[in-house]
Amino acid sequence: MSSSRRSDIIFAVALVVALLIAYYLRHALLLIYVSILFAIVLTPAVQFIQKLSIGDGIRARLGGSSAPD
């Protein structure tokens, strides 16, 4: 058996194993994928909210300075 044919067989077996693992982990992979999408979509809103200056903020109530960082 030539080395090219052997490497093709090894590649096919590895691909089948990888697909089986992905199939068994599909629910976890879907959860991770959706979480990444939510993080990407919500990042601009979170950054906007972080930039808002609402009153003195919690720093004044905790005894810290109210100056922005």
Side-chain angles (χ1 to χ4, degrees):
M1 187 183 296
S2 70
S3 103
S4 173
R5 189 172 186 107
R6 186 177 304 134
S7 64
D8 288 343
I9 292 172
I10 291 172
F11 176 75
V13 170
L15 183 64
V16 168
V17 169
L19 288 174
L20 283 173
I21 291 171
Y23 178 77
Y24 285 122
L25 298 176
R26 68 188 183 274
H27 296 294
L29 293 173
L30 180 64
L31 181 63
I32 292 168
Y33 177 71
V34 170
S35 300
I36 290 171
L37 284 179
F38 272 122
I40 291 171
V41 168
L42 293 176
T43 297
V46 170
Q47 290 174 347
F48 175 76
I49 291 171
Q50 285 177 339
K51 291 179 184 177
L52 287 178
S53 176
I54 302 173
D56 288 335
I58 195 166
R59 289 185 187 144
R61 285 181 258 148
L62 294 177
S65 68
S66 61
D69 292 332

